[in-house]
Amino acid sequence: MTNPLFDALFASNADRLTPFLISSAGDTISYREFVESAARMARLLVDHGLKPGDRLALQVRKSPQALMVYAACVQTGVVFLPLNTDYPPADVAYFLADSSASMIVCDPARAEEISAIAARTGARTETLAADGSGSLTQMARTLPVLTRAEPRQDDDLVALLYTSGTTGRSKGAMLSQRNLLSNARTLEAFWAFSGDDVLLHALPIFHTHGLFVATNTALLSGSAMIFLSKFDVEKVIQSLPHATTMMGVPTFYTRLLAEKRFTRDLVQNMRLFVSGSAPLLPETHRAFKDRTGHDILERYGMTETNMNTSNPYKGDRRAGTVGHALPGVELKITDPRTGSHLPQGQIGQIEVRGPNVFQGYWKMPEKTAAELRDNGFFVTGDLGKIDEDGYVHIVGRDKDLIISGGYNIYPKEIELLLDAQNGVLESAVIGVPHADFGETVVALVVAEASVRPNLDEIASVLRGTLARFKHPQKILLVDELPRNAMGKVQKNVLRERYRDILTAAGDTV
């Protein structure tokens, strides 16, 4: 038995001396150096008693060494659990307890805080800083490489990625060898990646987009990556002449367009710009084409599925659409009430089926059964339609999910906090259009009859409790919330009413 993902991504590159990771300063790590260093980390995991199927949580800043931890997990069969660096301690505690993680790797600056949390669940704590220092690398440096990979089957788990739940409880999406390898192979071929490519990588690696879509595709094709710690306009502009491809979120492209130095000449070596994780406004698509001559390739994916659709590499990339279903992926539009297939052009819920679709939600059999049908189709929760040319249009969601800068936000979590504040009778949280992030959060608050809530104090509470990407851009005091005949708040009415609120005046914070 083999380890298909390790063999394809890492073992196949073990003897290559060509660059894999390139820093903004031009320092390089070859494929061979990367695979060897990761194999020392793999030896450390084994020496610490981690077994195939155990979970390892990682909450650190982006670095080559953080990516090596992912490779070490794949080699040993340990399930990789990347955590957003913005998650506060309460969230980390939930993830460790829910996943029963055996180890968490954190930044040295948070070691004391995280160790106390991990001790309650029996997880071991190690450290890893952005510069590559820390207990993990210090111990691994002197160890011999692990020369064998743990045998794995197609359905064995590789990663556990938590995504928000409608009740505020996060769900762990279980991703297998087949899920990740099939999608990487599809994207390598569909987007024409090769060993001649240099991918400009400015995405986080705790998220599907940067970790699996970008990194796995580069590894499979033998591409090099200019590996930036984050999106920085200066460093991106410096790096673009040396790259051939870039994957980003709409924010990347709007910020580049704001720079006069971002010109057609600057990107003459580029062959492909990809956008995802949030809706790309058609205006951004057109402005980018006018400035650079490039049509941004927009695609559609999810934590649970990786990539489902893509505009064509060769062909008409249509602004406002996410293209066609990728090879091997089936996509259909169904009636949200009955599940029956809807005719072309009608709006309904999007369902997908293919080897990319996840195994289900960790320890949530009821949730899995509700969203993953017996016939293999996954109910995405997104609303869309397919036009007469087969292009998929995302028109909304049948849930109240907000996607801001590629991160999923469910209003209920924020509303529960708002409703608990002094002077708040009730609240509603919605997503409104944002040129950079696709959507952003706006909170609407109704006051109690005798007490006027202090919006500044409420904002401070939210900032101290929620991850930064969940913070409302505005909190508005309103007289009442619109309701239908059954008493349900009509968030569609609120979204339409306040869609331009970011440019309007009012009683906000």
Side-chain angles (χ1 to χ4, degrees), residues 305-328:
T305 63
N306 281 335
M307 294 303 98
N308 298 312
T309 74
S310 173
N311 271 275
Y313 178 65
K314 294 182 177 180
D316 185 12
R317 301 177 192 170
R318 297 191 181 178
T321 81
V322 292
H324 303 83
L326 285 164

Side-chain angles (χ1 to χ4, degrees), residues 190-191 271-274 285 289 293-298 310-321 323 391:
F190 199 78
W191 293 342
R271 68 171 185 86
L272 178 64
F273 291 93
V274 179
H285 189 282
K289 175 66 177 292
H294 282 275
D295 283 307
I296 297 174
L297 186 153
E298 192 169 9
S310 173
N311 271 275
Y313 178 65
K314 294 182 177 180
D316 185 12
R317 301 177 192 170
R318 297 191 181 178
T321 81
Y391 285 75

Side-chain angles (χ1 to χ4, degrees), residues 250 275-281 298 394 397 403-404 434-439:
S275 182
S277 296
L280 181 75
L281 297 180
E298 192 169 9
I394 309 294
R397 290 175 291 278
I403 302 179
S404 183
H434 190 284
D436 271 356
F437 302 115
E439 287 183 308

Side-chain angles (χ1 to χ4, degrees), residues 364-431:
M364 288 186 174
E366 297 84 4
K367 190 67 176 174
T368 299
E371 298 188 16
L372 196 56
R373 300 191 189 280
D374 291 340
N375 62 5
F377 273 95
F378 172 58
V379 182
T380 66
D382 291 311
L383 297 176
K385 66 178 182 179
I386 302 174
D387 66 22
E388 63 276 8
D389 295 320
Y391 285 75
V392 178
H393 300 244
I394 309 294
V395 301
R397 290 175 291 278
D398 62 353
K399 306 169 185 176
D400 292 323
L401 177 68
I402 300 167
I403 302 179
S404 183
Y407 302 132
N408 291 352
I409 304 167
Y410 272 90
K412 190 65 176 178
E413 179 185 11
I414 306 171
E415 289 165 355
L416 289 173
L417 284 171
L418 289 168
D419 293 345
Q421 303 309 306
N422 185 45
V424 175
L425 176 64
E426 61 179 348
S427 65
V429 169
I430 58 172

Side-chain angles (χ1 to χ4, degrees), residues 263-274:
T263 64
R264 190 175 295 236
D265 287 342
L266 186 74
V267 300
Q268 62 180 330
N269 195 45
M270 295 290 292
R271 68 171 185 86
L272 178 64
F273 291 93
V274 179

Side-chain angles (χ1 to χ4, degrees), residues 3 7 92 124 187 272 298 371-372 378 404 428 450 458 486:
N3 185 321
D7 294 344
V92 175
R124 182 187 182 102
L187 297 178
L272 178 64
E298 192 169 9
E371 298 188 16
L372 196 56
F378 172 58
S404 183
S450 58
I458 291 173
M486 298 301 292

